[in-house]
Amino acid sequence: MSGTRRQRTGLPTVTVLVPCYNYGRYLPRCVKSILSQDGVDVDVLVIDDASTDDSAEVAEQLANSDPRVRLMRHAINLGHIATYNEGISVLRGKYFALVSADDFLAPGSLSRAVDVLESDDGIAMVYGRVAICRHVDPDDCVHRERRSRIRAVTMDGTAWIEKICRLGWDPIASPEVVVRSEVQRRVGGYSAHLPHSADFEMWLRVATQGSIVQLVGPPQAYYRVHSASMARTTYGQKIADLRQRQAALESFFAAWSARPPESDEWHRAARRHLASVAISHACDIIVFGLPEDVDEYLAFVMSLGVEYTTLADWRRYRALRRDSGSRSARAAVRAGYVTARCHLRKWYHALGRPLERWL
């Protein structure tokens, strides 16, 4: 391990885990965004998961140039979940954040989150808006953002779980989250059987431990879009994403021992949303000629065990199949798609999450 801790400044300490695999080209910008945070004492832990590029060398240079940066190197590739959990096992800070090497933090984001956490010991987690970065120069993303006031919206953890289930999706990307470290230790690490949705299941577990605060306003972090990200490779097809989201829900509800009786209804609502998304995508496959199997999506819908024939997406699907892909049917489905996307944009904007990440 490289890097030696500096003397404490008296400020709240945030351990920021930076998992890295073949992202040496992105790593300096990520670490710079963490080290430049004001109002907190940052402890940056870079874990290189046996990268085959120059990631380890870049990380070592960063660790040697600033005592706040630690480096751990894997001799063999262990995968992202094992890397996350290794970082959690050596937490030093009072608070914890996980920022992948291809993402980066917005200026002042950690102090904004920590100020909220310091104000109330009952707050388990703070998150905010994450912005999409498609620019070659990531500073362009930061410069384009308008300055606005921050508003903190606090919800009881159980009420937040209900809201997420009824809305039907995870409003968090990951780099915009700061968790109280004692809460993180209490709920444990990321689930190995959920390689794509372990973060979703993690936020639900954290919400059982206290209040959740959403910071509404400018971005807390930037999520970088590029062709090599896992969301666009291993889990590029919608069906893989849907199955992982369902697995996260099933895992969470099965393990939530103190859940209220009404949570069964929330679980069904979340499953219905997954069914609606799957049926809508089945329509897209037919109309736009996507290279996927419609029957695979229908089998997924039926496996959810919820009433789906009353869904508007199902009615569109049935009309489309009756008309055998006629021009009028395709036009109707396209109209429905555009309308649904407009509604989702409004909801995602309210949640502070980029729509492009999941559609």
Side-chain angles (χ1 to χ4, degrees):
M1 181 186 293
S2 301
T4 303
R5 287 290 293 140
R6 66 178 183 179
Q7 186 176 2
R8 292 297 180 96
T9 63
L11 296 171
T13 305
V14 184
T15 293
V16 183
L17 170 61
V18 181
C20 181
Y21 177 68
N22 289 348
Y23 282 163
R25 60 195 181 280
Y26 299 130
L27 188 58
R29 183 64 180 84
C30 175
V31 172
K32 176 185 174 182
S33 76
I34 302 167
L35 295 176
S36 62
Q37 296 289 313
D38 57 3
V40 293
D41 181 12
V42 293
D43 165 40
V44 184
L45 173 58
V46 179
I47 302 183
D48 179 69
D49 193 21
S51 295
T52 58
D53 67 352
D54 63 346
S55 293
E57 291 74 19
V58 172
E60 189 157 9
Q61 291 173 7
L62 292 168
N64 291 335
S65 64
D66 196 304
R68 294 173 293 173
V69 181
R70 294 184 282 154
L71 170 61
M72 298 174 68
R73 299 175 65 171
H74 291 166
I76 59 173
N77 183 268
L78 300 180
H80 61 291
I81 297 296
T83 301
Y84 298 170
N85 290 339
E86 183 178 13
I88 290 172
S89 72
V90 293
L91 277 180
R92 290 176 174 175
K94 184 178 180 180
Y95 304 109
F96 170 63
L98 191 159
V99 182
S100 293
D102 53 338
D103 301 329
F104 55 98
L105 297 179
S109 64
L110 291 184
S111 62
R112 290 192 290 268
V114 166
D115 285 348
V116 172
L117 287 159
E118 289 279 286
S119 70
D120 185 350
D121 290 341
I123 297 171
M125 178 177 82
V126 175
Y127 71 100
R129 181 163 73 89
V130 63
I132 291 289
C133 178
R134 293 190 177 87
H135 301 279
V136 175
D137 181 359
D139 287 330
D140 288 346
C141 301
V142 179
H143 295 155
R144 287 166 183 257
E145 289 293 340
R146 297 177 180 176
R147 295 186 177 275
S148 59
R149 300 179 64 180
I150 289 283
R151 178 169 58 92
V153 179
T154 305
M155 290 190 71
D156 172 78
T158 303
W160 187 83
I161 293 170
E162 178 185 5
K163 176 183 177 182
I164 297 311
C165 288
R166 293 194 182 281
L167 287 173
W169 63 74
D170 173 15
I172 299 173
S174 186
E176 74 276 31
V177 176
V178 179
V179 180
R180 196 176 295 276
S181 292
E182 64 181 86
V183 170
Q184 185 66 70
R185 295 188 188 98
R186 199 181 306 146
V187 300
Y190 289 80
S191 299
H193 68 285
L194 299 171
H196 181 57
S197 59
D199 52 354
F200 181 24
E201 191 252 359
M202 175 65 77
W203 312 140
L204 293 171
R205 275 192 279 147
V206 168
T208 67
Q209 303 298 309
S211 300
I212 305 297
V213 175
Q214 179 188 5
L215 297 178
V216 180
Q220 285 289 95
Y222 293 86
Y223 176 84
R224 197 190 293 263
V225 173
H226 57 91
S227 59
S229 66
M230 186 176 295
R232 292 181 173 238
T233 53
T234 308
Y235 297 95
Q237 283 199 334
K238 178 67 72 175
I239 191 66
D241 173 57
L242 289 170
R243 285 172 176 157
Q244 278 285 292
R245 288 160 71 181
Q246 180 197 7
L249 287 166
E250 304 309 319
S251 178
F252 168 70
F253 278 100
W256 190 12
S257 57
R259 62 193 181 107
E262 58 269 28
S263 66
D264 289 337
E265 181 189 346
W266 310 343
H267 193 180
R268 283 192 297 272
R271 285 172 169 171
R272 265 177 70 86
H273 174 78
L274 292 179
S276 180
V277 172
I279 296 167
S280 176
H281 194 73
C283 293
D284 292 346
I285 292 172
I286 297 169
V287 173
F288 301 108
L290 303 180
E292 297 182 68
D293 185 359
V294 170
D295 291 338
E296 191 174 15
Y297 285 85
L298 297 183
F300 171 77
V301 170
M302 289 184 279
S303 74
L304 294 170
V306 294
E307 171 55 50
Y308 59 86
T309 58
T310 58
L311 294 170
D313 290 304
W314 179 254
R315 291 194 293 271
R316 284 199 295 272
Y317 172 78
R318 294 294 295 171
L320 181 62
R321 293 307 291 259
R322 276 197 309 269
D323 292 345
S324 302
S326 68
R327 181 178 297 179
S328 60
R330 290 196 298 270
V333 172
R334 284 195 180 98
Y337 175 82
V338 172
T339 300
R341 193 175 177 89
C342 288
H343 285 307
L344 281 174
R345 281 192 182 280
K346 292 178 182 179
W347 291 339
Y348 271 58
H349 180 73
L351 286 168
R353 182 170 188 183
L355 177 65
E356 292 82 356
R357 178 167 162 80
W358 294 108
L359 293 187

